[in-house]
Amino acid sequence: MTASSQSTDTTTTPVRAAAGIIAETMRREGGATALDIAMAEYNAGILFNPDQADGIAQAAREQSAAELRAELDELREENASLLHMKAQLDGIRRALAGRPDTDLMLVSEILAAADPRQNVATSAPLAVYWDGVVMGPSGDTDGENTLVPGTTAHGGPAALVLGDAQRLALGGLLLAHLRTGKDCPTPGCGTPADELDASDPHVWGWVLVDVAGTEGPARWHCNPWCASAAITAGGAELAAADEDETPTATNPAVTGE
């Protein structure tokens, strides 16, 4: 095989087609000009056509955009379906919350709970009733929690888990709403220390509270809750006094103007 035959064999199809068109044009036209040959290639679709190339590119872009829109529509439908299923599961979880493992539910209850239209965010909270027990830290390890066992309205077990800071904060908030000694129905609760005989068996176990910085005297209280309420009230009194003494632009006597 010669070099020329190898070159002919490896010639690409477009080149051979162009050569055939040129040869045919020269045969037909005789002294064909370069313009005649170029026009013949153009008409045959071999010559590069920028308008045709732009059309092909535009069609490809439109096809790609259409495919992307279809994919986005499909994703939106899938997302809406997942959100609907999540709303159904959330409703069922709310209906099951606090129920014991052996509890039975009607099918109608489950279907109603699975209806997202009936399970809005403003649904009633789960009611839990205190069992009267507080399981404090054992002290064996650091960071132990306090457990406050309870029972749900459906009879299921529940527990409030509190860390050290949370337990103190909750206790302070609860005690802050207790009545002070002067409102306690126990006779003598809140009596000043100099008016009560501490040796009297009637007051054994009482708590003496003297909040430093307050104007009132030390007072006896009948139980730790009343004593805590008195301490809270004393703290509020000191906080109010501090606020009154804070320098302001409208208080010349304080600012020294």
Side-chain angles (χ1 to χ4, degrees):
M1 182 179 294
T2 63
S4 60
S5 63
Q6 290 179 351
S7 176
T8 302
D9 293 340
T10 57
T11 302
T12 60
T13 300
V15 173
R16 289 197 298 269
I21 292 173
I22 293 173
E24 176 62 21
T25 302
M26 294 178 66
R27 183 192 64 77
R28 187 177 63 250
E29 300 293 339
T33 65
L35 183 60
D36 294 332
I37 295 174
M39 183 57 69
E41 293 182 350
Y42 179 82
N43 293 332
I46 296 176
L47 191 66
F48 175 74
N49 186 349
D51 294 335
Q52 185 179 12
D54 288 342
I56 295 173
Q58 180 63 27
R61 288 192 293 268
E62 292 177 357
Q63 177 65 24
S64 178
E67 293 176 355
L68 287 175
R69 286 194 295 269
E71 185 176 354
L72 287 175
D73 291 339
E74 183 178 357
L75 290 175
R76 291 191 184 98
E77 293 179 0
E78 293 179 357
N79 184 60
S81 178
L82 291 175
L83 290 176
H84 180 77
M85 293 177 60
K86 181 180 182 301
Q88 289 181 313
L89 290 175
D90 289 343
I92 294 175
R93 289 192 182 98
R94 285 194 294 268
L96 296 176
R99 293 178 181 268
D101 296 339
T102 57
D103 195 17
L104 300 177
M105 290 185 65
L106 297 175
V107 174
S108 58
E109 291 180 289
I110 299 176
L111 292 176
D115 187 354
R117 294 170 299 179
Q118 299 183 16
N119 291 281
V120 295
T122 55
S123 57
L126 175 65
V128 178
Y129 300 93
W130 182 37
D131 290 346
V133 178
V134 175
M135 302 171 63
S138 63
D140 297 335
T141 59
D142 295 333
E144 292 181 319
N145 291 323
T146 295
L147 301 182
V148 184
T151 303
T152 68
H154 301 295
L160 178 63
V161 182
L162 302 170
D164 290 341
Q166 293 173 323
R167 183 180 71 248
L168 292 174
L170 177 60
L173 291 174
L174 294 175
L175 291 173
H177 295 284
L178 289 176
R179 54 175 173 254
T180 58
K182 63 181 180 181
D183 300 322
C184 179
T186 301
C189 183
T191 301
D194 56 359
E195 298 180 10
L196 187 145
D197 184 4
S199 63
D200 186 351
H202 174 71
V203 298
W204 285 357
W206 284 29
V207 181
L208 179 63
V209 176
D210 184 8
V211 180
T214 59
E215 297 181 357
R219 295 178 180 274
W220 287 99
H221 295 275
C222 64
N223 56 53
W225 294 275
C226 285
S228 297
I231 294 173
T232 301
E237 178 183 337
L238 294 176
D242 290 340
E243 184 176 354
D244 292 340
E245 293 178 0
T246 301
T248 59
T250 57
N251 190 349
V254 174
T255 58
E257 295 181 359

